[in-house]
Structure formats: structure tokens, C-alpha cells
């Protein structure tokens, strides 16, 4: 049976997969960026949990990261559209179908990356905080 951590991350990946951009999880940056953009979900860090004792529960504020990448002549507009679509997808269901208490993205930190012989990439890491609880720190 999957842990609350894995279930929550899988639900976030499924939410990102519904967007027009290609969504990967834990993969390396491929050689080609699709025209619609590319999203790579990194599992991130669950952090130190808050603990309640009766019943015993571990409450996490898990910091995952989404790497968003676009390429092309109009990459600023494409990047803006891509990040807005991520925000809208998360705002649509802040509990990921009841699997977590709350999910919220933080502001992206964009950078332009030159590519020799091709249009530069515009990329950003978008931190996403997932609030969920578990019965066990390993579960």
C-alpha cells in the first residue's frame, strides 16, 4: 500500500500531467523540450514533522519542486502561460482529491539558459508545499 507521501506526490504528478506541457517525475532534462513546455516534478524534502500524540500523527510540510522549462522565440509568453496553468491546476483542488490538507506553490525563480546552436531555454524552479499527515515517519 503506498504511503501518504507517495500518494500525495503521485496525485500532484497526475495533476501536472493533465496540463498541455509534458510532465515527468524525477527524470533528467531531455535533449529536446516539447513546444508546449516541460515540467519535471522533484520529490523534494518532507522536512521535520510536527507530532501529535493522541492519536500519534506526523504532520508534514513537504517541499517538492517543479522544474518548468520552455524554449522558443516567444519563451517569455510561453513561460508565463505555463506557470499560470500550474497555478490554476493547483488552485482547482487544493487537497488533491482529499489526499493532503493543502497544496500551495511559491513564486518561481526564473533563469534564461543559453543553448549552443538553438534557442535559449527559460526555466524556473517552482517550490510546492504539500501539507499532509501520516501515522509513521516512514509511511
Amino acid at each position: 500500500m503506498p504511503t501518504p507521501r507517495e500518494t500525495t506526490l503521485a496525485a500532484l504528478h497526475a495533476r501536472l500531467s493533465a496540463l498541455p506541457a509534458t510532465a515527468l517525475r524525477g527524470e533528467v532534462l531531455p535533449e529536446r523540450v516539447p513546444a508546449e513546455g516541460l515540467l519535471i516534478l522533484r520529490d523534494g524534502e518532507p522536512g521535520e514533522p510536527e507530532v501529535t500524540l493522541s492519536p500519534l500523527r506526523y504532520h508534514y510540510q513537504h517541499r517538492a519542486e517543479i522544474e518548468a522549462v520552455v524554449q522558443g522565440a516567444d519563451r517569455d509568453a510561453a513561460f508565463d502561460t505555463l506557470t499560470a496553468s500550474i497555478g490554476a491546476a493547483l488552485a482547482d483542488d487544493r487537497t488533491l482529491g482529499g489526499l493532503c490538507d493543502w497544496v500551495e506553490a511559491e513564486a518561481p525563480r526564473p533563469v534564461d539558459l543559453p543553448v549552443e546552436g538553438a534557442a535559449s531555454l527559460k526555466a524556473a524552479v517552482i517550490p510546492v508545499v504539500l501539507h499532509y499527515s501520516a501515522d509513521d515517519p516512514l509511511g
Side-chain angles (χ1 to χ4, degrees):
M1 183 162 129
T3 63
R5 176 185 61 251
E6 178 57 28
T7 305
T8 303
L9 288 167
L12 176 58
H13 182 253
R15 178 67 47 134
L16 297 174
S17 296
L19 299 175
T22 300
L24 305 173
R25 181 170 172 203
E27 300 289 333
V28 297
L29 183 66
E31 288 185 25
R32 298 184 189 268
V33 174
E36 300 81 21
L38 177 68
L39 302 172
I40 303 174
L41 175 62
R42 305 283 179 205
D43 290 358
E45 290 286 325
E48 193 68 31
E50 294 286 326
V51 180
T52 56
L53 297 176
S54 186
L56 180 62
R57 300 287 288 168
Y58 297 85
H59 308 282
Y60 289 95
Q61 291 184 24
H62 187 127
R63 294 182 64 82
E65 293 181 337
I66 300 169
E67 293 176 10
V69 184
V70 295
Q71 186 174 25
D74 198 14
R75 65 184 179 277
D76 291 329
F79 180 80
D80 186 57
T81 301
L82 182 59
T83 55
S85 69
I86 293 168
L90 296 179
D92 222 17
D93 181 7
R94 295 276 184 194
T95 66
L96 298 175
L99 296 173
C100 67
D101 297 325
W102 191 256
V103 60
E104 187 167 4
E106 296 178 359
R109 300 180 299 260
V111 295
D112 288 313
L113 304 171
V115 177
E116 190 174 323
S120 15
L121 301 172
K122 184 160 189 164
V125 172
I126 303 170
V128 177
V129 181
L130 304 158
H131 299 262
Y132 61 87
S133 298
D135 296 336
D136 184 298
L138 297 178

